[in-house]
Amino acid sequence: MTLPVAAAGCIPADPFGLDGFLDRAERRLSRVAPGPGVPLSNPRGDHDLDPDGFAVAPATPHRPAAVLVPVIDRAEGVTLLLTKRAAHLRDHSGQVAFPGGKVDPEDTSPIDTALREAREEIGLEAGAVRPLGYLDPYLSGTGFLVIPVVGLVTREARPHPNPAEVAACFEVPLPFVMDPARHVVRSAAWKGRTRYFYAIPFEEHLIWGVTAGIVHNLYERLYA
């Protein structure tokens, strides 16, 4: 008879510590970027949250984009790095976001896009990031098909926000943001209809919309 790990005398890794997180990432994240014709190309999105099922996903063609979901092993615990977009931007100004943006023609993979955007937005060099895998694609209400790339960032890395795009960076403890009780579904009027979305309040910040949807998918894939 094979004993469970704990019964065999081993102490299970803290699920929110670095070892526990990396173990889950190794087993539960996709190693292959979702693309046309694969099951994951049927993306998640805020349209999934409509309790009456009336919301319709934006029509194709979708505009490809990618974001980096940066995880950092700090001395006080594992954190998730987020940005606050600059107030003067035309789209999504002042909102909380992951580093990322639309796919450029020279990008050969979503990882290339996510790392390039992280360098441009917060000065995070590619050598400071270890890509771990992909979450499910997330379809924004504006038709962007966002591929989230989860990456482990070295503790020594120090983000330097580009003021043209990012007002500030901040980190959220992983246990806090992976608590599903904090993932609240809210609604608001948008373009003549009711839009439903995840919202995660943290200190003076509100993580919501696509970013909160990706955070919830991280919870679903690694901890649910």
Side-chain angles (χ1 to χ4, degrees):
M1 176 179 176
T2 302
L3 294 177
V5 172
C10 299
I11 300 175
D14 175 3
F16 300 110
L18 182 62
D19 289 343
F21 177 84
L22 291 178
D23 174 66
R24 283 167 168 74
E26 175 69 25
R27 292 185 288 112
R28 301 178 184 179
L29 294 180
S30 173
R31 294 293 177 272
V32 179
V38 302
L40 287 183
S41 62
N42 181 22
R44 312 298 293 273
D46 290 351
H47 53 276
D48 294 332
L49 301 178
D50 185 345
D52 298 318
F54 294 141
V56 177
T60 56
H62 301 141
R63 292 174 287 178
V67 297
L68 180 66
V69 181
V71 178
I72 307 177
D73 179 32
R74 297 295 187 197
E76 61 274 18
V78 179
T79 65
L80 199 63
L81 175 67
L82 292 156
T83 71
K84 185 174 182 180
R85 290 172 59 81
H88 63 263
L89 294 176
R90 183 180 64 180
D91 297 322
H92 311 295
S93 60
Q95 291 185 11
V96 172
F98 289 116
K102 65 180 181 179
V103 174
D104 282 354
E106 63 269 21
D107 296 335
T108 60
S109 72
I111 291 178
D112 284 349
T113 302
L115 294 180
R116 175 181 55 75
E117 289 284 345
R119 184 180 67 252
E120 294 174 1
E121 292 183 8
I122 60 174
L124 188 61
E125 296 297 331
V129 183
R130 173 185 158 196
L132 300 176
Y134 297 97
L135 292 171
D136 301 325
Y138 206 91
L139 183 57
S140 76
T142 53
F144 279 98
L145 183 61
V146 182
I147 306 298
V149 179
V150 181
L152 180 65
V153 178
T154 61
R155 185 181 295 184
E156 295 74 23
R158 292 293 180 268
H160 298 285
N162 175 0
E165 299 189 56
V166 175
C169 296
F170 66 97
E171 296 177 33
V172 186
L174 187 66
F176 180 97
V177 81
M178 289 293 98
D179 180 357
R182 303 185 187 276
H183 302 182
V184 181
V185 177
R186 295 186 178 179
S187 64
W190 186 68
K191 292 187 176 181
R193 62 179 179 83
T194 301
R195 174 188 173 187
Y196 297 87
F197 53 88
Y198 282 112
I200 308 170
F202 173 70
E203 296 180 349
E204 72 273 22
H205 305 288
L206 179 64
I207 308 164
W208 69 281
V210 172
T211 304
I214 292 172
V215 169
H216 186 76
N217 186 227
L218 181 66
Y219 160 75
E220 289 179 319
R221 291 290 293 273
L222 300 192
Y223 293 101

